[in-house]
Structures are given as structure tokens and as C-alpha cells.
Amino acid sequence: MCDHSPQCPSAGDADCCTAHVTSDHSEQGWCRLCNGVILFDDGAYLTPDGRPMELRRSA
């Protein structure tokens, strides 16, 4: 889905939430990334196939 150069990480990559925002709905607490991920303000996200995930936090 991404046409950026360099290409953004895919939804299955560990750094998937670093992709570019394509649709910002910060007033509702979420945004859509160019790889299809829905990223929520609380750090949770949904993959394009609907799986709920949590951002991986570094120690």
C-alpha cells in the first residue's frame, strides 16, 4: 500500500507503527497508517486483518 521512498514497514514488521499517517483522527484517539495499521493513542493498534496488538516498549 505504501508509495513512500524509502518504503514504510509492512503491517507485519516489528516497527510497523513507524509508517506514515494517511488519515489522522486524533480527536477520536486514532490514526490510520499507510500500511493499513490503525494506531490508537493509548499504544494499542489493529493490524489490517483485525488482530489487536500492543506497541513494543523498549526498556
Side-chain angles (χ1 to χ4, degrees):
M1 288 195 265
C2 179
D3 60 359
H4 298 107
S5 180
Q7 193 168 24
C8 292
S10 73
D13 291 344
D15 59 347
C16 66
C17 292
T18 62
H20 285 88
V21 173
T22 59
S23 181
D24 181 16
H25 296 278
S26 54
E27 74 283 356
Q28 296 176 357
W30 64 277
C31 64
R32 184 173 190 269
L33 306 179
C34 69
N35 58 8
V37 167
I38 304 294
L39 179 61
F40 297 96
D41 289 350
D42 67 357
Y45 65 96
L46 289 174
T47 60
D49 62 0
R51 289 181 296 131
M53 305 289 282
E54 292 285 327
L55 283 175
R56 294 172 183 92
R57 307 273 184 206
S58 58

